[in-house]
Amino acid sequence: MSRAETAPVSEPVPGAEPLPGSAVRRPSPLWTFGLLRSELVTTVRRWRTLALLGVLAAVPVLVGIAVKIETRGGGDAGHGGQGPAFISQITNNGLFLVFTALAATLPFFLPMAVGVVAGDAIAGEASSGTLRYLLVAPAGRTRLLLTKYTTVLAFCLLATLVVTLSALIVGALLFPLGDLMTISGTRIGFGEGLVRALLIALVVAASLVGVAALGLFVSTLTGSGIAAMATTVGLVITVQILDQIPQLHALQPYFFSHYWLSFADLMRDPVYWDDLVKNLGLQALYAAVFGSAAWARFTTKDISA
Amino acid sequence: MAPYESDDAVGAVRDENPHAGRRKAARYAVPVAVVGVAAATIGLVPALAASGDPDLPKITAQQLIEKIAKSDVQQLSGTVKINTDLGLPDLGGLGSSLASGAAKGSGDGSSADPKSQLTSLVSGTHTLRVAADGPQKQKLSLLESGSEYSLIHNGKDVWGYDSKSNEVYHATSADSGKDHRAEPPATPKDFADQALKSVDDTTSVTVDGTEQVAGRDAYKLLIKPRQSGTTVGAISIAVDAKTGMPLKFTLTPKSGGAAVLDVGFTQVSFARPSGATFAFTPPKGAKVTEDKQDSAARKHTESREGFAQGMNGAKVLGKGWTSVATFDTGAKGGLPTGSKSSDVGGFLGSLGDKVSGKFGKGTVFSTRLVNALITDDGKVYAGAVTKDALVKAADAGK
């Protein structure tokens, strides 16, 4: 270590590999938050991220306007049960637009956005040639990976909240609010409805934890950001197609998307927890498996870019 | 290479290589271990949880049947899983289109009508929620992905609410006490009552140990037909040791394999459900279908009996388990006639086996439990009996 101590860290040695953990001094624990903050700011400031969030915010607006136009003449939305969950209740209560919007975005838009951000996390840095500079900083690979994952998780929450807020605003503008009816046919107050909407948003965000871990793992496998994003989004689509094939029913409970729509169970009265718990457990399992796989890959691979 | 990179540093890196390989393998072992632990947990936890049948005092079959008869559970709420595997071909869209056609034919096409919802219970796995508070208040909910169908009976009112289409069905009944019948048979108790009705000298009834159902200790009552010629293998009813309420009902066919019908509580509570559970006011903007008083009662009775026993006006041949229901459709040609008869009939004909006997000629349709013979002169024989027994019954009935 004597050489590492004499070599100034701020000056990367060309050709030499930055060894993990060869930090000059132990960075203070607060330093991690500095890294996280800079990661968060970098992610949110990207035009790509803003465009993704814009698309997500536009979905509730489109759904709300479409339902409003369709029901203007007193008709009922959803044509007797077609379309995403809860769509026929939107005219009763604007709060249902939140649930419809989340049900509409969860199968594709949300995992796509998360896949783009997660796939870009490591591979994007590698392809733009900034990964080695990040590793030269005295952070260590494990810490950098954790920071990247936390950033992706923060984006999951942010993306879900963007959909929720946009839907809430559009729902309040276009449709009446007030007491609402659960899908079990019982009534709850608007305050409890809001609490349930927030809970649903959190559950939807948690449903994306598995995709985020998968994307991060894919991201450590390749040096090309585009390849990682395409692979992750492709996996999301493939798994959802496989989830529809009845012959694979023995495998389907282990697909990360299998229990996604279980968030609707929060609108039952009393809440039906079975599938919700299964969903959260499954996401935790995916996070553990692919998170540790990403760690194993990232801490041992040669950084050549 | 940096000028101060010394030779011994390069040597050190070379020496580290086998070490690095080991470290790499050790790190990749972590995700593998996580998968292993998860698989072991998924595999072992249910096995460990299910271990050990409860220790209950011995009871005779007679005492257990009396216990069921005496059972008077007024308040309960719980979750019921119902799994039906009749071995029917999975018709999917065709089945539902036929069902919706039938619903339209009966007058109104409201998706909140209990009749149109009941047909979905005939195949597949469903989760239901039941709640009851005395004879005046019951609720039955059919949980679907992202939506729910609720049938609420509260005093004089019977409400059906389909959250998927936001449609409401409403019927009032003057004779509210009797309207217990409005509830479709969905709980293990409903099926157990039907099965115990058929207990006579053609049946052997034994107590087959104990088991845990929905976290409660239960006796297992095993009902086996003594007659040959029936397709029913055995019926097993788990009876709650404390309250005497049937918690689980399983019907296995003689041919073996998975149960034809498996209805059981996965969660049950005998506390009084909150009053709000049974309160219902139609939401704004929902389409409400009113049903007339008399027709509502008739329809419910019909749908219940149609589900449990077969069509009204049917004659029953034989007794016990080998009894065969017969009725005359009055239609020549053997297969149901209607606007779609040509293609539907042709399709149905291709599913059945042609048989002939003293009764004439006909087609037998088989499922894992029920076989039905439709003769060419329009008579229908159906029962939980084998094909040969069915032909014999048809010969005898001629």
Side-chain angles (χ1 to χ4, degrees):
Chain A
M1 291 309 258
S2 63
R3 183 177 58 78
E5 271 160 25
T6 50
V9 173
S10 55
E11 200 179 284
V13 185
E17 265 192 34
L19 291 168
S22 66
V24 179
R25 57 185 165 85
R26 280 194 83 76
S28 84
L30 284 174
W31 196 89
T32 310
F33 293 105
L35 184 62
L36 180 60
R37 199 182 55 209
S38 84
E39 277 298 325
L40 281 174
V41 170
T42 318
T43 307
V44 175
R45 272 203 188 146
R46 281 205 180 110
W47 280 111
R48 175 178 19 180
T49 314
L50 292 177
L52 284 172
L53 292 177
V55 168
L56 286 172
V59 171
V61 180
L62 287 177
V63 173
I65 291 174
V67 170
K68 188 76 184 174
I69 290 173
E70 195 186 356
T71 55
R72 205 169 34 186
D76 58 333
H79 302 291
Q82 305 291 307
F86 304 116
I87 198 164
S88 55
Q89 276 107 319
I90 294 177
T91 44
N92 310 339
N93 198 312
L95 198 54
F96 274 101
L97 187 60
V98 175
F99 312 135
T100 308
L102 287 173
T105 49
L106 184 54
F108 185 69
F109 289 105
L110 278 172
M112 185 195 68
V114 170
V116 166
V117 172
D120 192 50
I122 303 291
E125 302 276 6
S127 61
S128 64
T130 45
L131 184 57
R132 70 170 96 172
Y133 299 108
L134 269 175
L135 288 174
V136 163
R141 294 192 185 186
T142 307
R143 195 186 300 234
L144 178 66
L145 193 70
L146 274 177
T147 311
K148 287 284 187 190
Y149 191 49
T150 314
T151 310
V152 177
L153 292 188
F155 178 77
C156 292
L157 190 62
L158 179 68
T160 315
L161 288 180
V162 163
V163 176
T164 310
L165 273 181
S166 160
L168 201 58
I169 292 165
V170 175
L173 288 177
L174 294 181
F175 303 103
L177 295 176
D179 284 7
L180 69 157
M181 181 172 252
T182 62
I183 56 177
S184 302
T186 56
R187 275 184 182 281
I188 54 173
F190 184 67
E192 200 193 333
L194 270 180
V195 171
R196 291 207 187 196
L198 186 67
L199 257 180
I200 284 181
L202 291 178
V203 167
V204 169
S207 302
L208 298 167
V209 165
V211 179
L214 191 65
L216 194 70
F217 173 58
V218 172
S219 187
T220 60
L221 293 179
T222 167
S224 155
I226 299 292
M229 289 181 213
T231 311
T232 310
V233 174
L235 275 173
V236 168
I237 296 169
T238 312
V239 164
Q240 295 201 62
I241 291 171
L242 292 181
D243 205 17
Q244 303 299 321
I245 298 176
Q247 280 79 3
L248 295 174
H249 66 91
L251 285 178
Q252 282 165 356
Y254 303 101
F255 290 163
F256 56 80
S257 64
H258 190 68
Y259 295 108
W260 270 358
L261 289 180
S262 69
F263 75 83
D265 291 348
L266 279 168
M267 278 310 288
R268 302 189 200 281
D269 191 30
V271 174
Y272 183 66
W273 290 104
D274 288 26
D275 287 353
L276 283 164
V277 170
K278 276 185 201 160
N279 182 25
L280 296 181
L282 193 66
Q283 301 305 328
L285 181 65
Y286 267 84
V289 171
F290 287 101
S292 59
W295 170 78
R297 165 75 185 162
F298 187 58
T299 51
T300 56
K301 85 167 184 177
D302 295 336
I303 306 295
S304 51
Chain B
M1 283 292 138
Y4 49 80
E5 189 98 49
S6 64
D7 279 341
D8 61 71
V10 174
V13 167
R14 198 181 296 134
D15 283 343
E16 260 172 34
N17 272 343
H19 178 64
R22 258 207 312 279
R23 197 185 61 175
K24 201 168 183 171
R27 296 212 165 171
Y28 276 109
V30 175
V32 175
V34 172
V35 171
V37 168
T41 315
I42 291 165
L44 285 179
V45 165
L48 289 176
S51 69
D53 289 333
D55 213 8
L56 292 169
K58 286 252 176 298
I59 192 169
T60 66
Q62 191 57 42
Q63 282 171 321
L64 192 54
I65 292 174
E66 275 166 20
K67 201 179 174 88
I68 298 173
K70 262 194 285 177
S71 155
D72 186 28
V73 175
Q74 293 286 327
Q75 279 131 19
L76 89 155
S77 56
T79 309
V80 177
K81 273 242 154 74
I82 176 165
N83 196 348
T84 330
D85 180 11
L86 279 171
L88 291 167
D90 192 5
L91 298 176
L94 179 66
S96 64
S97 78
L98 286 177
S100 66
K104 286 226 170 66
S106 74
D108 57 73
S110 169
S111 66
D113 191 321
K115 226 177 161 182
S116 62
Q117 290 287 334
L118 264 181
T119 47
S120 73
L121 285 179
V122 175
S123 72
T125 304
H126 299 273
T127 308
L128 298 142
R129 271 192 167 159
V130 289
D133 183 6
Q136 295 289 316
K137 290 176 177 177
Q138 291 109 30
K139 179 169 178 177
L140 179 91
S141 316
L142 178 58
L143 273 59
E144 292 157 88
S145 170
S147 66
E148 190 166 328
Y149 174 73
S150 313
L151 193 59
I152 301 160
H153 168 219
N154 191 350
K156 276 187 175 173
D157 294 308
V158 176
W159 295 98
Y161 176 60
D162 181 22
S163 85
K164 191 182 254 173
S165 57
N166 203 26
E167 283 182 23
V168 176
Y169 163 91
H170 181 226
T172 45
S173 159
D175 192 6
S176 59
K178 249 191 180 172
D179 211 48
H180 203 61
R181 303 169 65 89
E183 299 287 312
T187 61
K189 185 173 164 50
D190 296 321
F191 291 106
D193 287 348
Q194 287 288 335
L196 290 174
K197 259 189 221 159
S198 62
V199 169
D200 52 22
D201 53 341
T202 63
T203 314
S204 92
V205 184
T206 49
V207 177
D208 184 33
T210 58
E211 68 175 327
Q212 280 238 323
V213 176
R216 296 185 67 91
D217 296 347
Y219 290 105
K220 245 160 87 181
L221 187 70
L222 191 68
I223 303 176
K224 266 190 166 161
R226 283 214 187 95
Q227 293 163 305
S228 65
T230 172
T231 50
V232 176
I235 292 172
S236 159
I237 302 171
V239 184
D240 186 33
K242 278 216 188 76
T243 62
M245 201 179 84
L247 296 177
K248 197 171 177 197
F249 178 95
T250 313
L251 196 162
T252 36
K254 201 162 237 174
S255 56
V260 166
L261 180 66
D262 187 29
V263 188
F265 280 100
T266 54
Q267 182 260 319
V268 68
S269 148
F270 293 104
R272 176 194 287 266
S274 86
T277 311
F278 307 104
F280 183 84
T281 32
K284 274 178 286 178
K287 189 177 127 196
V288 182
T289 311
E290 288 284 342
D291 208 331
K292 278 180 213 100
Q293 198 169 304
D294 51 337
S295 76
R298 181 178 50 77
K299 213 181 224 174
H300 287 132
T301 316
E302 225 171 62
S303 66
R304 180 187 169 90
E305 294 192 338
F307 192 76
Q309 281 164 1
M311 285 196 195
N312 282 345
K315 253 193 322 188
V316 177
L317 308 171
K319 79 181 254 247
W321 295 92
T322 53
S323 56
V324 171
T326 175
F327 54 92
D328 201 336
T329 60
K332 296 285 169 197
L335 289 164
T337 52
S339 55
K340 284 196 256 177
S341 73
S342 54
D343 50 332
V344 173
F347 175 67
L348 286 176
S350 69
L351 287 175
D353 298 328
K354 298 262 179 266
V355 290
S356 57
K358 258 190 278 175
F359 64 89
K361 271 188 189 143
T363 314
V364 171
F365 300 98
S366 302
T367 67
R368 293 177 64 215
L369 184 68
V370 177
N371 288 326
L373 167 66
I374 301 178
T375 64
D376 286 351
D377 54 2
K379 281 211 173 83
V380 176
Y381 299 88
V385 295
T386 59
K387 212 159 85 177
D388 296 340
L390 203 58
V391 172
K392 223 182 277 171
D395 284 346
K398 189 74 186 175

